[in-house]
């Protein structure tokens, strides 16, 4: 991500005496310095071989015709239930091995909970988020966090973000309920803990803040101060394993 650079310092004069000039080299003509450099090269080659082997072991599933094993309905967040989004609305990946995850992106559905689920199951929609949170606090996961959801209208943010939809309309503050805020905050705190995402407004953002987007959600009524305080509390307080609030369906 950054540029690597190196500098070389000038050597000090050696100040050799007549006696030091007469020191013998190894019998085979190879200096100690050359031996050290050669040994370092061998060690570096060995390290590179180990790293390459580890990478191959981790990415073996990318060989043509081989897919990484998946368990149908497997959850990343224990408080959710699984409802699969159409495969046309997301891209298979292996985050964070291929893309680092450093953002949580907050959306509002502009519709009901059920209509959001339905549209994310529609291959013609060409978009979805990883999670939907209802006004009653229920959570559905529709895409694995290791996969890329088509959610933000920005490829880089899609590859790096986990998206959460919230049931309601941006111009109706009554839609943003206490149960929704609290449930979503627990979910976001859990995502941040899994991926090492800082709990701040640089890394927990609204869809409207994604560069190049034409969306305005979560809208002017989303209470960021309240939400971030809830996320911080959830991130620092010991919490029991949540119980899913809705039955999973395909």
């Amino acid at each position: 991500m950054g540029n690597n650079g190196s500098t070389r310092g000038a050597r000090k004069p050696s100040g050799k005496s007549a006696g030091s000039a007469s020191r013998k080299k190894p019998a085979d003509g190879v200096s100690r310095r050359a031996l050290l450099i050669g040994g370092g090269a061998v060690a570096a080659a060995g390290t590179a071989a180990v790293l390459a082997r580890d990478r191959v072991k981790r990415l073996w599933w990318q060989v043509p015709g081989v897919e990484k094993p998946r368990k149908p309905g497997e959850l990343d967040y224990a408080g959710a239930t699984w409802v699969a989004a159409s495969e046309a609305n997301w891209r298979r990946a292996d985050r964070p091995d291929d893309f680092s995850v450093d953002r949580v992106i907050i959306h509002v559905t502009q519709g009901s909970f059920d209509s959001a689920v339905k549209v994310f199951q529609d291959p013609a929609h060409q978009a979805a988020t990883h999670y939907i949170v209802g006004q009653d606090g229920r959570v559905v996961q529709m895409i694995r966090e290791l996969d890329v959801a088509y959610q933000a209208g920005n490829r880089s943010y899609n590859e790096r973000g986990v998206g959460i939809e919230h049931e309601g309309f941006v111009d109706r503050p009554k839609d943003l309920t206490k149960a929704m805020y609290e449930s979503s905050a627990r979910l976001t705190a859990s995502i941040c803990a899994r991926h090492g995402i800082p709990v701040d407004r640089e890394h927990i953002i609204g869809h409207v803040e994604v560069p190049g987007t034409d969306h305005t959600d979560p809208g002017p009524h989303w209470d960021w101060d309240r939400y971030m305080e809830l996320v911080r509390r959830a991130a620092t307080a010991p919490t029991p394993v949540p119980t899913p609030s809705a039955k999973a369906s395909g």
Side-chain angles (χ1 to χ4, degrees):
M1 302 273 179
N3 292 324
N4 293 324
S6 62
T7 58
R8 295 182 180 181
R11 294 180 182 273
K12 292 182 179 180
S14 62
K16 289 183 179 180
S17 65
S20 64
S22 63
R23 290 174 186 168
K24 294 181 179 181
K25 294 182 180 180
D28 58 1
V30 180
S31 70
R32 179 174 180 275
R33 181 172 179 272
L35 288 172
L36 289 173
I37 293 172
V42 170
T47 300
V50 170
L51 292 174
R53 185 173 66 248
D54 288 346
R55 179 171 175 78
V56 169
K57 286 171 65 179
R58 190 173 74 247
L59 301 180
W60 64 268
W61 54 272
Q62 291 188 353
V63 174
V66 176
E67 290 190 351
K68 186 175 182 181
R70 304 290 182 103
K71 294 180 181 179
E74 187 173 15
L75 295 167
D76 295 299
Y77 179 63
T81 55
W82 178 259
V83 180
S86 168
E87 293 186 2
N89 297 331
W90 56 274
R91 171 159 55 89
R92 188 178 294 269
D94 187 31
R95 303 191 305 176
D97 285 337
D98 45 9
F99 305 106
S100 61
V101 178
D102 62 5
R103 293 289 187 279
V104 177
I105 304 175
I106 303 300
H107 305 255
V108 168
T109 61
Q110 289 299 93
S112 70
F113 185 94
D114 291 340
S115 66
V117 171
K118 184 176 181 180
V119 78
F120 290 171
Q121 292 177 312
D122 180 0
H125 187 60
Q126 298 291 296
T129 56
H130 296 87
Y131 296 95
I132 304 173
V133 179
Q135 292 176 358
D136 59 1
R138 59 180 160 160
V139 180
V140 162
Q141 181 171 3
M142 302 194 71
I143 300 169
R144 290 293 308 279
E145 289 178 16
L146 53 81
D147 293 322
V148 175
Y150 301 150
Q151 57 161 321
N154 179 308
R155 179 169 181 170
S156 176
Y157 278 69
N158 285 347
E159 290 172 345
R160 295 159 48 200
V162 175
I164 308 174
E165 284 280 5
H166 296 81
E167 178 185 13
F169 293 85
V170 296
D171 58 350
R172 295 200 323 208
K174 67 178 184 179
D175 289 351
L176 307 177
T177 66
K178 180 176 183 290
M180 175 188 287
Y181 272 120
E182 292 179 347
S183 178
S184 176
R186 290 191 295 269
L187 171 59
T188 292
S190 176
I191 294 167
C192 289
R194 273 192 294 285
H195 297 284
I197 301 172
V199 178
D200 59 37
R201 283 286 285 116
E202 182 181 349
H203 298 88
I204 301 172
I205 65 173
H207 191 179
V208 66
E209 297 171 89
V210 174
T213 186
D214 59 357
H215 287 246
T216 62
D217 56 314
H221 301 297
W222 184 267
D223 190 338
W224 279 108
D225 289 340
R226 175 185 181 186
Y227 186 68
M228 293 303 299
E229 178 59 27
L230 289 169
V231 176
R232 282 189 285 269
R233 288 182 192 173
T236 57
T239 54
V241 176
T243 301
S245 56
K247 293 181 179 179
S249 61

